[in-house]
Amino acid sequence: MTNPNNATITLVHRARFVDGHGLTIPTFRLLKDDGQLYADAAEPVLDRQQALAMYRSMVATRLLDERMLAAQRQGRISFYLQSLGEEAQAVASAAALAPDDMILAQYREQGALLHRGFTLDQFMNQLFSNEDDLGRGRQMPVHYGCRELNFMTISSPLATQIPQATGYAYGQRLAGEAAVTLCYFGEGAASEGDFHAGLNMAAVLKTPVIFFCRNNGYAISTPASEQFVGDGIASRAVGYGIRTLRVDGADTLAVFEATRQARQLMLEEPQPVLIEAMSYRLGAHSSSDDPSGYRSRAEEERWRKRDPIGRYRLWLGHRGWLNEDEDRRHSDGLRRQILEAMKRAEQKHKPPLESLVEDVYAAVPRHLERQLDRLKKQDAANRKRERA
């Protein structure tokens, strides 16, 4: 029976506490490590063009990461976050969405934005904070955003995007849109209060939002075993009355199919879904981190053998949709394009100082005008000292 507390009441007469592992959730996987499908797995409906587009977005993400991490080490950009080993999660989930669906990311989902059509020049303009940067140099280098591609600008505070995603999806529902919102976050963000507020609000309001948790094992240097207890993050959604699915985050086909089905469920009946993608962050947390201080090389090597790009490449090869020569030519071309885009971005001017106080108010407030005036004078004095 049910009661006004909205809980199912089944009477028993002996006390039995339910612990954090009372519910175990299996992991959805379609591809074996050798790129073959499991015998009882159903292959997602993907044509060759879609499948290759996903592969090329993952490869482009990895090559972009490699080049920009090197650029940070050379002092050409200030900061960078790579997604080594997690490319499948961002790209395959984004590929399962429609262009009108909104994406709210954390900071390791450049693959989703790239797959949506953000160009290499746009990435470089943002990373070098030049005059063509959409954020006009007012964001951290990796905090991308693009209105035209329905990709909300990334925020620095952790987990703030989770309740924002719930609110945006609620607006989609009220407007009667045939669209959903996807919200990325790491398992570390699931320890923040915003996670719990966002999920509870989404469950009660029945908002069409996909909470996509990248459980990559570490919140910067803190292993998952020191972050939380219980059966991962997926089990928490059950507590909020939200449908949930755990998926192998290194399996491109499984991530695509999980997200596709989640979106379809929400279009049929508005309600949230949580997907927990199990993976491993092969690289450092950021260009300011050194993982050798908190984990072993042997641990990294074990996960490196489950590389998502390699497994998906094997599947494409088995289908006859990719050959080595074509793959190598495409990668070589991408490297050249990335390098050329970086050189173009470096040569562009920085945004004017006035842009610091624009775009927020219809008229710039007096106190900001005064601050801008002082900044201009200080800048002029600094330039004069440099010339002396």
Side-chain angles (χ1 to χ4, degrees):
M1 63 181 181
T2 59
N3 67 10
N5 304 95
N6 201 27
T8 299
I9 304 298
T10 301
L11 295 179
V12 297
H13 306 292
R14 293 180 185 277
R16 184 173 67 87
F17 292 92
V18 178
D19 65 23
H21 293 278
L23 172 67
T24 56
I25 298 175
T27 301
F28 176 52
R29 179 194 281 188
L30 297 175
L31 278 182
K32 301 177 189 176
D33 289 347
D34 63 3
Q36 299 281 3
L37 283 172
Y38 283 93
D40 58 344
E43 195 171 87
V45 178
L46 274 173
D47 62 29
R48 178 178 181 175
Q49 185 178 0
Q50 290 174 299
L52 284 176
M54 288 163 57
Y55 174 73
R56 285 168 177 161
S57 290
M58 287 193 286
V59 172
T61 302
R62 181 164 296 186
L63 295 177
L64 175 67
D65 284 354
E66 289 175 357
R67 190 65 198 89
M68 299 322 296
L69 190 62
Q72 193 279 334
R73 297 297 188 236
Q74 294 166 345
R76 298 164 82 168
I77 61 173
S78 60
F79 182 75
Y80 195 73
L81 276 160
Q82 59 176 334
S83 61
L84 184 62
E86 300 183 70
E87 296 90 346
Q89 299 177 60
V91 171
S93 54
L97 301 178
D100 288 341
D101 295 334
M102 175 58 73
I103 290 179
L104 285 89
Q106 183 159 299
Y107 46 53
R108 209 179 296 283
E109 295 86 18
Q110 52 267 47
L113 185 56
L114 191 149
H115 191 73
R116 281 209 155 183
F118 208 60
T119 67
L120 292 175
D121 282 312
Q122 287 176 309
F123 274 106
M124 294 300 173
N125 292 337
Q126 162 92 42
L127 292 166
F128 283 91
S129 300
N130 62 33
E131 58 187 351
D132 289 333
D133 168 21
L134 297 180
R136 310 195 77 183
R138 293 175 292 196
Q139 284 284 351
M140 288 183 67
V142 296
H143 287 187
Y144 312 105
C146 183
R147 184 190 299 269
E148 288 70 24
L149 296 175
N150 288 317
F151 193 97
M152 193 78 73
T153 301
I154 295 168
S155 301
S156 290
L158 197 63
T160 54
Q161 77 276 18
I162 299 174
Q164 291 168 1
T166 296
Y168 193 92
Y170 188 46
Q172 289 174 315
R173 179 190 165 190
L174 293 179
E177 297 177 9
V180 306
T181 291
L182 188 144
C183 177
Y184 295 105
F185 55 92
E187 88 285 346
S191 298
E192 296 286 339
D194 280 353
F195 168 82
H196 302 283
L199 262 67
N200 191 55
M201 189 164 60
V204 173
L205 297 177
K206 299 188 183 308
T207 62
V209 54
I210 301 173
F211 297 108
F212 193 101
C213 176
R214 296 178 292 94
N215 188 344
N216 65 15
Y218 289 89
I220 308 182
S221 60
T222 305
S225 60
E226 296 179 18
Q227 297 176 49
F228 55 85
V229 294
D231 188 33
I233 305 301
S235 61
R236 299 183 184 184
V238 177
Y240 285 108
I242 293 177
R243 288 179 175 173
T244 189
L245 177 66
R246 176 172 289 151
V247 63
D248 181 348
D251 181 343
T252 306
L253 294 185
V255 172
F256 174 85
E257 183 61 10
T259 312
R260 187 196 67 78
Q261 290 195 24
R263 183 178 188 276
Q264 186 61 37
L265 280 173
M266 285 186 285
L267 292 181
E268 294 169 357
E269 180 185 357
Q271 58 179 302
V273 170
L274 186 143
I275 295 173
E276 181 184 23
M278 310 303 290
S279 66
Y280 187 82
R281 193 194 73 214
L282 278 171
H285 167 71
S286 73
S287 55
S288 301
D289 175 44
D290 177 8
S292 67
Y294 54 84
R295 68 187 190 192
S296 68
R297 180 60 63 90
E299 177 183 305
E300 293 177 12
E301 288 303 319
R302 284 198 300 274
W303 282 90
R304 202 174 295 279
K305 293 175 182 175
R306 299 189 57 240
D307 175 41
I309 294 181
R311 198 192 312 181
Y312 189 51
R313 181 190 294 120
L314 288 172
W315 177 75
L316 290 168
H318 295 323
R319 294 293 302 260
W321 286 353
L322 186 70
N323 65 64
E324 289 187 12
D325 289 341
E326 180 188 4
D327 189 28
R328 186 169 50 254
R329 284 197 301 273
H330 182 74
S331 295
D332 290 344
L334 270 174
R335 288 190 182 88
R336 285 195 299 274
Q337 293 171 37
I338 291 169
L339 189 59
E340 290 166 3
M342 186 175 75
K343 289 178 178 177
R344 284 194 293 272
E346 277 187 305
Q347 293 168 359
K348 294 180 181 177
H349 295 294
K350 296 296 182 186
L353 279 177
E354 288 79 2
S355 67
L356 282 171
V357 298
E358 296 172 347
D359 298 346
V360 175
Y361 301 97
V364 179
R366 293 285 302 277
H367 72 284
L368 290 183
E369 285 185 339
R370 290 194 294 271
Q371 289 178 27
L372 178 62
D373 185 58
R374 288 199 295 272
L375 180 61
K376 285 181 174 177
K377 290 177 180 174
Q378 183 63 51
D379 182 58
N382 291 342
R383 291 175 185 274
K384 186 176 180 180
R385 273 198 298 273
E386 289 174 0
R387 289 194 297 269

